[in-house]
Amino acid sequence: MLLVRVVKNRAVAIVGVAAVALSLVCLERYTNDAGIASDAVVTTEPVVQSQQGARIVAPSAGETKKPELTAKNNIITEEERREMDNRRNKVMAECGKKDGNETSQRQEWRYVETIVVDDKHKLLYCGVPKVGTTNWLRVLTALQTDPARDPMKVDQSEFREKRNFRHLNSYDSAERARLLETYLKVIFVRNPYERAVSAYKCIFQKPLHQFVKKYRKKSLQYRNYVLRNYRNSNINWNVTVNDPRFNVTFDEFSRYLTDERTLVADPLAVSSKGKMNPHWAPMSELCDPCEVKYDVIGMHHTMRNDVEYVLKSIGANDLVDYPLHDPNVTRAQAPDYYKRLAPSQIDKMRRLYETDFRLFGYDQREPAGN
């Protein structure tokens, strides 16, 4: 599997998803990129200390060539830092265009509920479903012990049912402010069109027998609801695992997703408050990057480099292996899914995720484009 070396003894806090205990686990296949980890490089270039403790290379006078760095060192180059600065500045510029009342109350309470805090590593990670959240939680859980464990041997119940990490709303207002001010804040985002396809494949297309029992029951409930409400049929849908008619189409899923009833109070919410299911809720609603000033904005299509950036930032590039899945699988398949939708339905999808497109610079005109 594609491996990146992770963390030593530092601290992390996670902007996770409040519904993590009820998330449907849909791991995609992993690929191997051998040889990514090697011994750290010794550099004689001057370095400066970042706020989180990572070293940033400061080029010598007249020097333009960047040093060759390997995955195991904790040095962040000026080029890497500038790229992350550009992403942050892009988000802040777009946030500045917002009307002062645009941030909804729904967003305000949601990001507080979804932030998970790992005090040991002082990192706030916004765990957007379908953007590598499960593996980040595995890594962070593995790093709670000394020595660190293999993340792939961490049982998901440790962070889903047992909830080993606290959420930001469990702290008083003064402590929340301190954490948001002093901890490294990280979010990983993905093309909204592509992320919607990934959620659909995970919950509505994945064979039901592949789910563990309790998640199979939840997926059955979801599929029955969509079929009852969005399939033109007189069938009273209440089918079983082996029923061949039980295939929710992407068109049916998209019509459920953009239905006014879903937007007001999602019938498939994982809480009693009607919040949109985190698997397909807009990333800006889950994490509100205009309110939380993220230090690191990682992209799904540059996951490998951005994972390294995070691990370097917390001085954690040599303890565990982070398994990166191949980001091209769903990306390559996604255009075929959108060919099945009417243009008017694609436009509804675009409007649903309009803020995500705008904040993170994705092309709204090209479903599942890079």
Side-chain angles (χ1 to χ4, degrees), residues 15 92 111 115 124 180 185 287-294:
V15 188
M92 288 301 99
Y111 85 77
I115 292 179
L124 302 176
L180 288 168
K185 298 174 289 294
C287 302
D288 198 355
C290 292
E291 180 69 20
V292 179
K293 306 301 188 292
Y294 292 97

Side-chain angles (χ1 to χ4, degrees), residues 11 16 24 39 53 58 68 89 94 110 118 136 155 158 186 199 201 220 236 255 266 292 317 360 362:
L24 298 175
D39 292 336
E68 294 293 325
N89 292 338
E94 291 297 329
R110 185 145 205 186
D118 175 354
W136 273 116
D155 191 283
E158 294 186 47
V186 176
K201 289 170 58 181
L220 276 166
N236 181 21
R255 285 190 286 122
D266 191 352
V292 179
N317 215 18
F360 304 119
Y362 290 110

Side-chain angles (χ1 to χ4, degrees), residues 125-138:
Y125 160 67
C126 186
V128 177
K130 312 316 301 169
V131 197
T133 298
T134 297
N135 280 329
W136 273 116
L137 291 172
R138 276 191 170 122

